Amino acid sequence: LAENALAALHDEGYGSAYDTRSLNHQTMIFTGGRPVRSLDGDWNFCVDLLDTGLRQKWFAMQPETPVNRIEPWDYDPYMGETVPVPSNWQILQDKWYFFEGGSWYTRAVDLDPDPDGRLFLRVGAASYDCKVFLNGKFLGNHLGASTPFFVELTDHAQPGRNWLMLFVDNRRQADRVPMQNTDWFNYGGVYREVSLFETPKTVIRDLVLSLAPDSYDRISVRVEVEGADHAHLDIKGLIQIDIPLVDGVGTIEVEASPQLWSPENPHLYDVTLTAGADEVRDRVGFRQIQRRGTDILLNGKPIWLRGIAVHEDDRELGKVTNEADLIRRFDHARDLNCNFMRLAHYPHHERAAQLADERGILIWAEIPVYWAIDFANPATRADAENQLAELIRRDRNRASVVIWSIGNENADTDARLAFMSGLAAQARAMDPTRLIAAACLVNHQTLRIEDRLADHLDIIGINEYYGWYDEDFDDLERIGRNSNPDRPVVISETGADADITAEGPSEGLFSEAYQAEIYRKQTSTLARLGYVKGMSPWILYDFRTERRQGIYQRGWNRKGLIAADKVTRKAAFDILAEFYARHAQGQG
Ligand code: GCB
């Protein structure tokens, strides 16, 4: 061991030394169009239930052959079992299925660093706390299971062989976002792509493009660059312009009347930004999303959101997303006649919104401020704010993303109001071009939509399960009559479980017929409520969850319109598809 092993073993203060929370949205760089070196593939792997590796400093062990080692060792990062990255360990071996804790990922990275360049590591997502070590040195840690993070390696990389280690810890904790209790599976591991980006000394950190507020003939541009005093923007076929930078930042509005992006015409422009020797690219659509009274306006016209909610979950792959899975998902949304999708309950893979841009599907994107997180805890708030910032910075050039949702079913306490109104203000400050929503609660005594957070939102999301958790279906009618919201309501969830396996019932709760009946009743009732401006029923596919262990659930939430095989459609699928088809026609 590089340091005295016995002393390390007795070092119970090991945790805080690696808990700097230093990797956050400020370490992000803009990656669109950059040459990428993938670090995906086999990494050495070890689960570490006792955090032994942090105590014994496994990350500082020298790569040696066993015969040359002079001390006994409890784990050798350079030998033994491997796993593929990206992956979730639960899916790889039965013995890891319910494992929650830390695990070590190690791989060699051979480098030939350019003395005039810079080097950045990007981890697409690691659940939940990821500590990064290069050549035995701790470089920082990141919190949050679903957003990307960056580490600049420039001053730490050496020519030739380098060793990269990640310690990834998915333990559920009260102060995390989400906390211990959810209704989706707590997948662990490095489950999105890991990449290296080489840049010149000048680095484009950010590029933000949109129509200027309330305008169709002005585009606002914001760029952030390290090491240049101007940048050049080319939106192909639209504008070419030099942008002066002051302290690395340039903010301008340019006259331009782009073809508008919409579900009917998802037009995208090729964009190139150069600064010094650095260059990035993107494909960007331009549109306006606004609210007026209880209406949602897309490009100035009222729109009704025909949606479906989805989790990022796969029977064989866990949370790992691939192109085929996403294409199938969007094909299913098309078959449902959707124009809208809720990416619940955390930031999905960035490719989802890129595909939505191409396919013309409006997106509700969300952070996992879910149920009773620790609203009074400043560390929890900082974590939520950072996840929101990372999501916004990653996806704010996606025209498809029209809603930032800042939470789901959180009780209306003072602490929650302070926390979440703060998130709403942050989202608006970072991005004035989108609508802010949250899945709010209804008051079950007064049977009214009532939530103090609503004043801070553009869209009131309501998750309602009349006919399922709320037995009296007619209460939905009562809520409809009793409420008089001053802004649009989107039914962000509704639905019922249906187990269509051989073990499932043929009638009553959990049957396919019962689920279909709920969809019939829900759609006909909701269609009559004037202030309801869309819905995203729960959910496209059955998904894995620890909390569901009933005889018909067996480890799965079975509210999918399609079973966990992502092929077999339940009867409710066609009912929703027909409702949406009629709705689309009604709108002309
Ligand atoms: C909800 C939650 C969602 C659950 C769903 C259910 O209200 O927002 O995460 O999975 O209900 O199936 O109970």
Side-chain angles (χ1 to χ4, degrees):
L1 288 177
E3 298 190 22
N4 184 309
L6 278 178
L9 272 173
H10 292 288
D11 174 13
E12 289 302 324
Y14 70 93
S16 53
Y18 309 109
D19 188 22
T20 64
R21 304 187 172 199
S22 55
L23 305 176
N24 57 35
H25 73 100
Q26 284 162 340
T27 64
M28 295 178 90
I29 62 169
F30 194 91
T31 53
R34 290 185 186 280
V36 49
R37 173 165 162 200
S38 169
L39 297 184
D40 295 346
D42 285 344
W43 291 52
N44 289 1
F45 180 77
C46 177
V47 296
D48 181 9
L49 189 69
L50 308 178
D51 295 343
T52 309
L54 292 177
R55 290 194 180 80
Q56 292 187 345
K57 301 189 167 49
W58 288 349
F59 54 85
M61 283 174 79
Q62 298 302 314
E64 289 287 359
T65 58
V67 283
N68 287 335
R69 287 217 182 281
I70 53 167
E71 290 167 285
W73 61 92
D74 293 326
Y75 174 60
D76 188 327
Y78 310 100
M79 302 177 58
E81 205 153 20
T82 64
V83 297
V85 166
S87 67
N88 296 113
W89 61 67
Q90 285 92 342
I91 298 296
L92 300 175
Q93 292 200 27
D94 286 349
K95 67 181 179 187
W96 296 330
Y97 191 73
F98 283 123
F99 175 68
E100 295 184 328
S103 15
W104 293 90
Y105 291 77
T106 308
R107 69 162 281 160
V109 186
D110 292 325
L111 295 171
D112 179 16
D114 175 354
D116 294 323
R118 296 170 69 170
L119 187 64
F120 294 87
L121 171 74
R122 180 189 198 261
V123 178
S127 174
Y128 178 97
D129 178 336
C130 180
K131 305 184 198 307
V132 180
F133 303 86
L134 187 75
N135 302 326
K137 197 169 168 220
F138 173 59
L139 298 186
N141 82 310
H142 177 262
L143 296 182
S146 316
T147 40
F149 58 93
F150 294 79
V151 195
E152 181 158 9
L153 304 183
T154 315
D155 296 334
H156 308 286
Q158 58 201 29
R161 178 135 296 193
N162 293 258
W163 288 98
L164 180 61
M165 281 182 86
L166 305 176
F167 180 69
V168 182
D169 182 344
N170 78 327
R171 253 164 294 196
R172 290 168 299 113
Q173 289 178 20
D175 64 350
R176 290 187 169 177
V177 185
M179 45 60 158
Q180 297 103 322
N181 186 21
T182 67
D183 186 27
W184 68 91
F185 200 79
N186 181 30
Y187 290 109
V190 184
Y191 69 93
R192 288 186 195 145
E193 295 77 6
V194 180
S195 345
L196 282 178
F197 292 94
E198 277 184 273
T199 73
K201 278 266 180 292
T202 299
V203 177
I204 297 170
R205 288 262 174 200
D206 211 353
L207 162 63
V208 191
L209 292 166
S210 68
L211 283 175
D214 301 321
S215 158
Y216 292 94
D217 54 11
R218 276 175 303 125
I219 288 179
S220 54
V221 185
R222 187 178 181 283
V223 300
E224 215 179 295
V225 182
E226 260 167 32
D229 53 18
H230 70 103
H232 183 78
L233 177 71
D234 181 354
I235 305 180
K236 209 171 163 197
L238 199 63
I239 50 169
Q240 287 201 15
I241 187 156
D242 268 310
I243 304 168
L245 307 175
V246 179
D247 295 331
V249 179
T251 313
I252 54 164
E253 270 188 23
V254 216
E255 271 181 41
S257 300
Q259 222 185 101
L260 297 180
W261 182 98
S262 69
E264 298 74 37
N265 177 29
H267 186 83
L268 300 175
Y269 287 90
D270 286 316
V271 174
T272 308
L273 183 78
T274 46
D278 201 21
E279 180 176 300
V280 296
R281 282 191 289 278
D282 208 349
R283 278 168 64 68
V284 176
F286 296 94
R287 51 98 192 98
Q288 284 292 0
I289 188 86
Q290 294 153 313
R291 73 158 157 118
R292 188 181 57 204
T294 60
D295 275 334
I296 300 170
L297 307 181
L298 178 70
N299 298 329
K301 290 198 221 81
I303 185 162
W304 207 90
L305 303 175
R306 307 186 304 272
I308 187 68
V310 269
H311 259 298
E312 197 171 50
D313 190 55
D314 188 80
R315 200 167 58 176
E316 274 78 39
L317 298 172
K319 262 177 87 66
V320 176
T321 301
N322 60 34
E323 190 79 2
D325 184 54
L326 283 173
I327 287 176
R328 175 176 48 198
R329 180 199 291 184
F330 282 101
D331 286 349
H332 280 139
R334 179 203 55 209
D335 292 354
L336 279 170
N337 302 306
C338 287
N339 60 8
F340 174 58
M341 200 183 270
R342 176 182 182 196
L343 305 183
H345 280 300
Y346 38 74
H348 285 212
H349 194 289
E350 63 265 22
R351 191 70 194 122
Q354 289 167 359
L355 266 174
D357 263 13
E358 289 167 21
R359 305 199 40 164
I361 293 284
L362 300 160
I363 294 289
W364 161 309
E366 178 165 344
I367 53 168
V369 172
Y370 184 88
W371 292 351
I373 67 164
D374 193 356
F375 287 113
N377 184 337
T380 305
R381 182 152 171 187
D383 189 355
E385 285 168 355
N386 185 56
Q387 292 188 44
L388 179 63
E390 286 174 338
L391 168 63
I392 292 177
R393 284 192 60 168
R394 194 194 67 179
D395 285 356
R396 66 180 153 188
N397 284 345
R398 302 284 70 81
S400 56
V401 177
V402 287
I403 295 168
W404 301 126
S405 175
I406 54 169
N408 184 79
E409 294 183 353
N410 319 97
D412 192 356
T413 63
D414 290 348
R416 176 269 200 159
L417 184 62
F419 187 115
M420 289 182 65
S421 60
L423 291 177
Q426 179 195 343
R428 286 187 206 288
M430 286 187 71
D431 177 11
T433 72
R434 289 182 173 79
L435 304 179
I436 312 297
C440 299
L441 296 175
V442 295
N443 183 329
H444 285 273
Q445 271 76 53
T446 57
L447 289 175
R448 276 166 51 90
I449 296 173
E450 242 176 47
D451 192 318
R452 287 181 291 164
L453 184 65
D455 288 344
H456 301 269
L457 305 174
D458 299 302
I459 293 179
I460 305 171
I462 296 292
N463 298 347
E464 54 86 359
Y465 285 91
Y466 290 93
W468 187 251
Y469 298 124
D470 295 289
E471 286 156 37
D472 188 351
F473 187 84
D474 296 337
D475 278 351
L476 181 58
E477 298 268 5
R478 288 182 200 111
I479 285 169
R481 277 199 307 275
N482 294 347
S483 307
N484 186 21
D486 60 352
R487 57 201 76 200
V489 170
V490 167
I491 303 301
S492 35
E493 292 177 27
T494 183
D497 282 67
D499 176 11
I500 59 163
T501 68
E503 284 124 294
S506 56
E507 57 181 4
L509 293 176
F510 292 97
S511 70
E512 189 177 4
Y514 191 94
Q515 185 196 40
E517 185 56 19
I518 293 284
Y519 269 79
R520 254 180 233 112
K521 287 162 78 171
Q522 282 283 348
T523 48
S524 68
T525 304
L526 294 173
R528 292 196 303 270
L529 288 183
Y531 52 76
V532 169
K533 288 297 150 57
M535 60 194 290
S536 50
W538 198 249
I539 187 169
L540 185 55
Y541 306 114
D542 289 353
F543 61 95
R544 205 179 248 117
T545 172
E546 296 92 335
R547 71 185 285 121
R548 310 273 174 187
Q549 298 299 338
I551 53 167
Y552 298 130
Q553 299 165 317
R554 305 183 303 281
W556 293 79
N557 183 314
R558 299 198 187 261
K559 295 192 185 68
L561 293 173
I562 300 177
D565 62 5
K566 298 188 173 173
V567 174
T568 314
R569 298 178 183 192
K570 306 179 190 176
F573 187 101
D574 287 341
I575 293 168
L576 187 65
E578 281 156 26
F579 171 70
Y580 283 164
R582 285 196 305 276
H583 214 290
Q585 276 159 16
Q587 283 206 326

